[in-house]
Amino acid sequence: MPAPDAMIPQRELLARPVRREAVGAALRAARIAAGLNKQQAAAASGLSRHSLMRLEAGTGSLNLDRLWSLARAYRTTPSAILAAAEADEAAAETLRP
């Protein structure tokens, strides 16, 4: 079970939307590169279209199982999706001490 937000440092809470937007953009780019629309991607990954839309918008939280399912559906790897998100300058800044 995840820690309550009150237990998470403020810096991490502020980083969440930045990171989620970067991952969302990476997911959207991977879906488009795979030639899939949102409905096809949802069917291929086992996620609902609504969940996929939230992830791509940066408003949903992505767990490892979902990441692997999406990577398989997009014919890529989880590390490629994360590398694309890390390439986002604002997201990369959240990794700095």
Side-chain angles (χ1 to χ4, degrees):
M1 174 172 272
D5 285 355
M7 303 288 292
I8 299 171
Q10 183 68 18
R11 180 173 188 219
E12 290 300 312
L13 290 174
L14 293 173
R16 280 182 177 178
V18 174
R19 292 171 180 168
R20 288 177 181 181
E21 286 178 20
V23 170
L27 288 170
R28 185 171 41 259
R31 176 180 57 76
I32 292 168
L36 299 173
N37 64 34
K38 289 177 186 165
Q39 189 63 40
Q40 292 166 325
S45 67
L47 274 71
S48 70
R49 187 171 176 272
H50 178 72
S51 292
L52 182 62
M53 290 172 57
R54 289 186 62 226
L55 290 171
E56 287 189 8
T59 59
S61 178
L62 182 63
N63 69 35
L64 289 175
D65 293 327
R66 285 181 175 172
L67 177 60
W68 281 79
S69 295
L70 288 166
R72 183 185 64 243
Y74 298 164
R75 297 180 297 281
T76 189
T77 62
S79 59
I81 293 169
L82 291 176
E86 289 174 37
D88 179 277
E89 195 172 310
E93 183 65 32
T94 70
L95 295 170
R96 293 189 176 89

